[in-house]
């Protein structure tokens, strides 16, 4: 699995993340269209009219979600098959070579014709699709909730402003009413984009955005599929279950200490002789951070197991990266992702402002986009990292 890098896992998850980013953008912008500033009428009548649009909003939201996520099952299956096949094809030469020397036994199947392998992959596909369906359901309900919250903010703000103006002027003129409505809707839109939509609630009650949760599901599940594809293929050859942990730049703190170390899935501690004739020590995988969300092979982890055949395999991968360099690479990648999100959020605020017809908010949003882009340019110049413009785009 040496060729299946953390970047491969990230690339596999990005299309799904983009699908949900686009879906959220369209849903929020569509909600904003329902608050378009047109004319003026007293707040209580305006509120009734907006409440009557709930049915239409729900249908529109469902159509947006269906349009954007309809091909997700096929895309997820394709991704998991690709990642599993790539992981197994990468280790097959070593396993076949050991079989040719009589150390292991050729199973008589390729990775993708193996019944055990296909069953394993399908299980992960079903697991991921179930979670995506849950995200879609939660996201649809979230559009209804945030619409009502946004309406509530607009109504409360409008009523407060109207009351103040009536006290000042003893009358609520049409021009004054229009002004208060614009200000009320502007505040409501700020709250709308700040809150965003929810795609999942975890056990602690924290709300995940649809794109963040879907991306995490695909990255984690595809990584798990690749890891278990290797385990399955190693067992099919009768190669035991000892492995070496890969190394890569930017490893997380709970993963870093175990890079390049040897473990067993089912036994240990123990020792074995490698292909160089050197004695190597291995531990049980449970003696590492394995099983912790941010631990080895956990959520968003970029590591993988390299099968070890005692008496035959040579330790692989280069020396572990310097810890300070490792920390710097990881932190810079996280900063860049944060800047990319802020650019996208600023662009989405701009589209929401356009949808309501609030020209003052449009001007402010355009300035915010320029500020965030300038901050990204400075960061790229300082670090020498590659800028990913595709990660800064929203649904047009």
């Amino acid at each position: 699995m040496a060729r299946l890098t953390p970047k491969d896992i990230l690339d596999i998850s990005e299309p799904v993340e983009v699908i949900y980013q686009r879906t959220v953008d369209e849903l929020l912008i569509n909600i904003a269209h329902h608050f378009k500033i047109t004319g003026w009428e007293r707040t209580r009548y305006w509120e009734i009219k907006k409440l009557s649009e709930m049915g239409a909003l729900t249908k529109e939201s469902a159509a947006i979600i269906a349009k954007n996520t309809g091909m997700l099952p096929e895309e997820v299956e394709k991704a998991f098959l690709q990642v599993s096949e790539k992981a197994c094809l990468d280790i097959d030469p070593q396993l076949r070579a050991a079989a040719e020397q009589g150390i292991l036994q050729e199973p008589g199947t390729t990775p993708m014709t193996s019944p055990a392998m296909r069953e394993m992959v399908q299980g992960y596909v079903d697991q991921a699709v179930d979670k995506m369906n849950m995200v879609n359901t939660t996201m649809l309900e979230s559009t209804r909730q945030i619409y009502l919250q946004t309406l509530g903010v607009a109504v409360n703000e409008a009523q407060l402003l109207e009351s103040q103006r009536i006290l000042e002027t003893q009358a609520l003129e049409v021009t004054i009413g229009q002004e208060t409505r614009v200000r009320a809707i502007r505040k409501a839109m700020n709250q709308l984009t700040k809150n965003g939509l929810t795609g999942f609630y975890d056990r602690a009650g924290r709300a995940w955005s649809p794109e963040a949760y879907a991306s995490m599901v695909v990255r984690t599940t595809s990584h798990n599929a690749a890891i278990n594809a290797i385990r399955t293929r190693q067992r099919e050859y009768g190669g035991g279950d000892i492995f070496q942990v890969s190394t890569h730049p930017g490893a997380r703190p709970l993963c870093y200490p175990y890079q390049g170390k040897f473990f067993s899935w089912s036994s240990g501690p123990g020792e074995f002789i490698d292909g160089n004739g050197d004695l190597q020590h291995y531990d049980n995988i449970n003696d590492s951070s394995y099983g912790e969300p941010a631990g080895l092979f956990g959520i968003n982890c970029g590591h993988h197991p390299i099968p070890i055949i005692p008496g035959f395999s040579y330790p692989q991968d280069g020396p572990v990266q310097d810890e300070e360099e490792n920390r710097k690479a990881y932190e810079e990648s996280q900063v860049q992702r944060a800047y990319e999100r802020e650019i996208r959020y600023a662009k989405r605020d701009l589209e929401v402002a356009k949808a309501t017809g609030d020209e003052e908010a449009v001007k402010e949003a355009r300035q915010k986009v320029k500020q965030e882009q300038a901050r990204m340019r400075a960061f790229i110049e300082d670090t020498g990292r590659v800028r990913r413009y595709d990660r800064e785009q929203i649904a047009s």
Side-chain angles (χ1 to χ4, degrees):
M1 194 173 166
R3 289 197 303 268
L4 190 60
T5 65
K7 184 178 182 302
D8 293 326
I9 298 293
L10 184 63
D11 289 344
I12 286 169
S13 69
E14 273 196 28
V16 173
E17 184 175 1
V18 168
I19 286 174
Y20 277 100
Q21 287 174 349
R22 178 176 294 276
T23 304
V24 171
D25 291 343
E26 292 186 16
L27 289 171
L28 292 178
I29 293 169
N30 185 60
I31 290 174
H33 277 293
H34 282 267
F35 289 90
K36 191 171 184 66
I37 301 167
T38 55
W40 180 79
E41 56 197 328
R42 290 196 177 272
T43 297
R44 63 178 179 273
Y45 299 124
W46 181 78
E47 180 183 12
I48 292 172
K49 185 170 71 174
K50 292 297 135 184
L51 287 171
S52 70
E53 296 175 19
M54 280 288 295
L57 174 77
T58 301
K59 291 180 180 179
E60 293 160 2
S61 299
I64 290 171
I65 293 171
K67 177 193 69 175
N68 287 323
T69 65
M71 294 298 293
L72 270 176
E74 291 81 358
E75 291 298 321
V76 170
E77 181 178 17
K78 185 190 302 182
F80 290 177
L81 285 172
Q82 288 175 345
V83 74
S84 299
E85 183 176 25
K86 184 171 185 178
C88 291
L89 289 176
D90 203 30
I91 66 169
D92 258 24
Q94 178 191 187
L95 297 175
R96 285 198 304 270
E100 290 171 359
Q101 295 187 23
I103 299 174
L104 302 180
Q105 184 173 353
E106 173 68 50
T109 60
T110 66
M112 291 300 98
T113 62
S114 163
M117 191 71 67
R118 299 288 298 193
E119 181 180 357
M120 183 277 298
V121 170
Q122 188 58 50
Y124 281 112
V125 171
D126 293 342
Q127 181 184 85
V129 170
D130 284 345
K131 291 182 178 180
M132 299 296 179
N133 289 336
M134 179 187 65
V135 169
N136 295 347
T137 301
T138 304
M139 184 165 54
L140 178 60
E141 178 57 30
S142 181
T143 62
R144 294 171 53 84
Q145 293 175 355
I146 200 168
Y147 179 84
L148 290 174
Q149 291 171 3
T150 303
L151 178 58
V153 170
V155 168
N156 291 337
E157 182 70 7
Q159 288 175 337
L160 176 62
L161 292 170
E162 287 174 4
S163 298
Q164 293 173 344
R165 290 305 180 92
I166 290 174
L167 289 174
E168 295 170 0
T169 66
Q170 300 302 312
L172 185 59
E173 303 292 342
V174 170
T175 54
I176 295 175
Q178 289 173 335
E179 178 188 343
T180 58
R181 180 64 46 75
V182 170
R183 291 174 59 183
I185 289 178
R186 185 179 303 154
K187 180 176 181 179
M189 291 303 103
N190 289 337
Q191 197 70 31
L192 170 75
T193 55
K194 178 182 178 180
N195 292 340
L197 295 176
T198 298
F200 176 74
Y201 292 97
D202 61 22
R203 292 181 178 178
R206 292 171 297 197
W208 288 61
S209 69
E211 60 267 38
Y213 185 71
S215 177
M216 184 274 290
V217 167
V218 175
R219 286 199 302 271
T220 303
T221 310
S222 62
H223 188 223
N224 290 341
I227 290 171
N228 280 285
I230 292 173
R231 293 180 64 183
T232 300
R233 196 64 174 160
Q234 189 174 357
R235 286 197 303 267
E236 287 184 322
Y237 271 91
D241 66 357
I242 297 175
F243 64 92
Q244 181 183 15
V245 176
S246 66
T247 66
H248 70 75
R252 300 181 301 185
L254 287 181
C255 298
Y256 178 83
Y258 307 109
Q259 295 193 116
K261 298 299 191 333
F262 300 97
F263 292 95
S264 167
W265 293 107
S266 62
S267 61
E271 297 175 333
F272 68 92
I273 302 296
D274 65 23
N276 293 318
D278 297 328
L279 182 66
Q280 301 287 354
H281 175 83
Y282 68 88
D283 291 304
N284 187 278
I285 187 61
N286 293 318
D287 293 328
S288 69
S289 59
Y290 178 70
E292 298 183 42
L296 189 60
F297 305 147
I299 296 174
N300 297 334
C301 174
H303 292 95
H304 57 264
I306 303 170
I308 294 295
I309 311 302
F312 180 80
S313 299
Y314 298 90
Q316 299 182 39
D317 283 6
V320 176
Q321 186 186 32
D322 174 79
E323 187 167 4
E324 179 59 26
E325 184 182 351
N326 181 85
R327 181 194 61 78
K328 181 181 178 182
Y330 178 73
E331 289 181 355
E332 285 182 352
S333 70
Q334 299 307 297
V335 171
Q336 184 170 351
R337 282 303 185 90
Y339 286 174
E340 289 164 351
R341 286 194 297 270
E342 291 305 317
I343 291 174
R344 287 193 63 260
Y345 294 158
K347 288 182 177 179
R348 189 165 67 194
D349 289 350
L350 175 58
E351 293 303 315
V352 165
K354 288 179 181 178
T356 63
D358 186 343
E359 292 301 325
E360 183 176 337
V362 168
K363 292 178 182 178
E364 293 178 358
R366 282 203 176 105
Q367 184 60 33
K368 179 66 172 177
V369 171
K370 292 179 180 179
Q371 291 174 355
E372 295 299 338
Q373 290 173 330
R375 185 168 65 158
M376 174 64 86
R377 286 195 296 271
F379 172 76
I380 294 298
E381 183 176 349
D382 289 342
T383 61
R385 295 180 66 85
V386 176
R387 187 170 178 180
R388 287 286 303 275
Y389 291 94
D390 57 312
R391 293 177 181 165
E392 302 173 11
Q393 304 306 310
I394 67 165
S396 59

